[in-house]
Amino acid sequence: MTTEATPAEPALKVLLVDDQRIIGEAVRRMLRSEADIEFHFCQHAEEAVAKAEAIQPTLILQDLVLPDIDGLEMVRRFRENPVTASVPIIVLSSKEDAATKADSFRAGANDYIVKLPEEIELLARVRYHSTAYVLRLKLDAQQKELEAQKEAAEAANQAKSTFLANMSHELRTPLNAIIGYSEMLQEQAEDDGNPDYLPDLKKIHTAGHHLLSLINAVLDLSKIEAGKTTLFLEDFSIKKAIEDVIALTQPLVQKNRNTLVLTGEPDAGSMHADALKLRQILFNLLGNACKFTSEGQVELNVVHATTAAGEPGIQFTVRDSGIGMTPEQCAKLFQPFTQAESSTSRKFGGTGLGLSITKSFAEIMGGSVRVESEQGKGSAFIVTLPLQVRELPAENAEASQDAPAPATPDDKHDPATGRRLVLVIDDDPYVHDMLRRTLPRETYDLAVATAGEPGLVRARELKPDAILLDIVLPGLDGWSVLGEIRKDPTLAAVPVLIMTILDQADRARSSSATGFFSKPIDREALLEALNKIPPPPVSHPGAMVLIEDEKDLLETLQRSLEP
């Protein structure tokens, strides 16, 4: 049994609007040899409009002289109709004067033919205009499909970035506990004389910090992809920023027995930029150079330069004598989660996020990053930034069942002892527990609140000497709590130290906060900050000052008042 093939629908549809049947027949004969052209003929205006809406032609041949309407008016009606607004129209007329042709083009015609033309000319014009229109329709459809795919991809990317940000938040919360408790256990093991526990505890602590650095990198990447990266612009010393980075890099330099040299113009004055992001850029590049170089030299060269936009800038070049890369490997750099080759990740470790974040940070500040490398001879990463960076264009975890119980909300505090009262506003019971163990009891009393509104109530009741404030809180967030504290005359002068897992050091510096600590909290730094707070005056209930110049009377009064 054979099945007949269904004939393909004609690719081109031509509609002729002319009141003369003889013209219609002549055009039909000219087109009948073309299998892919479907011909339609109408003699009246209303009939032609209805036919055009029904068949959706790829070309309209329009006569100028009709019994019921002017041909130019028909051209205008076709242009006003959404179905035929973009369909090419060829005016077919016996008039040859330039004025009529000009009127036709002004009305919306695409071409003009004096009838009747030779068959070869008519076929050429019909096929040219119809084919161009069909191709335009296909391109429009592809453009719409691409836009839909782009929107879907952007939505998926946004969902991924949101997921990464949320997961980073959720992962960092238990990591705070792991790192904090491992620090306390190391101290306890040393105090109790159990050095055998220290190696394992240090491994836990090191692994926790390593995992935290990876999570921070993923969080940075998700913020970049979501377009939520902000700049905290300030004037700062380039020399001081370099010194800070070199101090952080020294352990990495020593690990592979490398030498770090500083060349060029290290004392290059000041710049207006995001100092934190600049330090992260340099730390990422110097860290990579130290990792891929062994018993060699790592150089940081600093010179004034001109940016690609022609602005005065500063150029940082990190050059190493390490393993180097091939041109093919260089081409793979700066992509998220990508390293030069898979063996690199296995041998040297890493996620491939550092260079991607470095490039994004540089570009956000109006700069650029490029690489020069030769396999076996080392690599050089060149970062160029403007000296004056411009502003960017305007555009809670539940406690587990085995979590420690929150600190008692009515902890006793006796002002007569001279101990400082610290109010902790944080919903994480692990934080309460670690702070209770961290703060010396002979110096500090601790009170807690697990949400923003209760925290304000407790602050007004207790008038603490210092407040440790989280940002992510149920209900009123930490920034709102800080604002309310500063508006309250009885609390405005109380030091408030922000402690959070969020990357908001920039905002904290520009706010009325006294200090900022990123979780997991550096306990020594926290204690140092708290110790700088003046202690409260020691109160003496029932104390009285006697002022009398008669010694005998003073002694009599003193004896009578003593219990």
Side-chain angles (χ1 to χ4, degrees), residues 241-482:
I242 293 172
E243 290 174 348
D244 291 344
V245 174
I246 289 177
L248 287 172
T249 309
Q250 282 301 330
L252 302 177
V253 175
Q254 297 165 4
K255 182 178 180 181
N256 284 352
R257 299 178 297 281
N258 291 310
T259 302
L260 176 60
V261 296
L262 184 59
T263 62
E265 309 169 46
D267 192 4
S270 63
M271 66 185 298
H272 182 74
D274 190 316
L276 189 63
K277 287 182 173 55
L278 172 61
R279 286 196 291 266
Q280 187 165 350
I281 288 172
L282 296 179
F283 182 76
N284 287 347
L285 295 179
L286 287 170
N288 274 355
C290 293
K291 181 166 65 172
F292 296 112
T293 305
S294 181
E295 299 181 352
Q297 177 174 289
V298 176
E299 174 191 0
L300 173 57
N301 177 266
V302 185
V303 294
H304 284 88
T306 303
T307 68
E311 299 175 311
I314 190 79
Q315 181 173 285
F316 304 90
T317 301
V318 176
R319 193 182 308 275
D320 64 66
S321 58
I323 61 176
M325 293 174 287
T326 65
E328 293 77 18
Q329 291 172 333
C330 289
K332 297 178 182 179
L333 295 179
F334 305 115
Q335 299 300 315
F337 305 104
T338 301
Q339 292 192 329
E341 59 180 21
S342 58
S343 61
T344 302
S345 179
R346 290 193 299 270
K347 182 176 180 180
F348 296 97
T351 61
L353 287 176
L355 288 179
S356 175
I357 293 171
T358 294
K359 181 174 184 288
S360 297
F361 281 175
E363 291 176 349
I364 287 170
M365 290 194 286
S368 61
V369 182
R370 59 187 176 88
V371 61
E372 298 173 357
S373 186
E374 185 175 349
Q375 192 170 30
K377 295 188 177 181
S379 303
F381 287 84
I382 301 98
V383 179
T384 306
L385 298 173
L387 285 172
Q388 293 289 323
V389 175
R390 298 186 179 90
E391 290 283 356
L392 289 173
E395 303 179 72
N396 284 349
E398 297 181 359
S400 62
Q401 294 181 350
D402 59 347
T408 309
D410 56 349
D411 287 352
K412 298 294 187 294
H413 172 65
D414 184 0
T417 64
R419 292 194 295 268
R420 299 182 179 96
L421 175 60
V422 177
L423 173 61
V424 180
I425 306 177
D426 195 306
D427 64 336
D428 188 350
Y430 287 111
V431 172
H432 305 162
D433 187 52
M434 282 189 288
L435 288 173
R436 185 174 294 282
R437 300 188 189 193
T438 298
L439 301 182
R441 295 186 180 184
E442 64 275 11
T443 308
Y444 298 98
D445 286 335
L446 192 69
V448 303
T450 57
E453 289 86 350
L456 284 172
V457 172
R458 300 226 63 194
R460 291 172 178 133
E461 290 175 351
L462 299 173
K463 304 296 188 298
D465 300 295
I467 297 174
L468 301 181
L469 178 62
D470 190 14
I471 295 302
V472 182
L473 294 168
L476 203 64
D477 67 54
W479 296 120
S480 301
V481 172
L482 178 60

Side-chain angles (χ1 to χ4, degrees), residues 186-200:
Q186 287 182 63
E187 294 176 1
Q188 187 173 342
E190 290 178 344
D191 294 341
D192 294 347
N194 294 315
D196 293 342
Y197 296 145
L198 289 176
D200 290 337

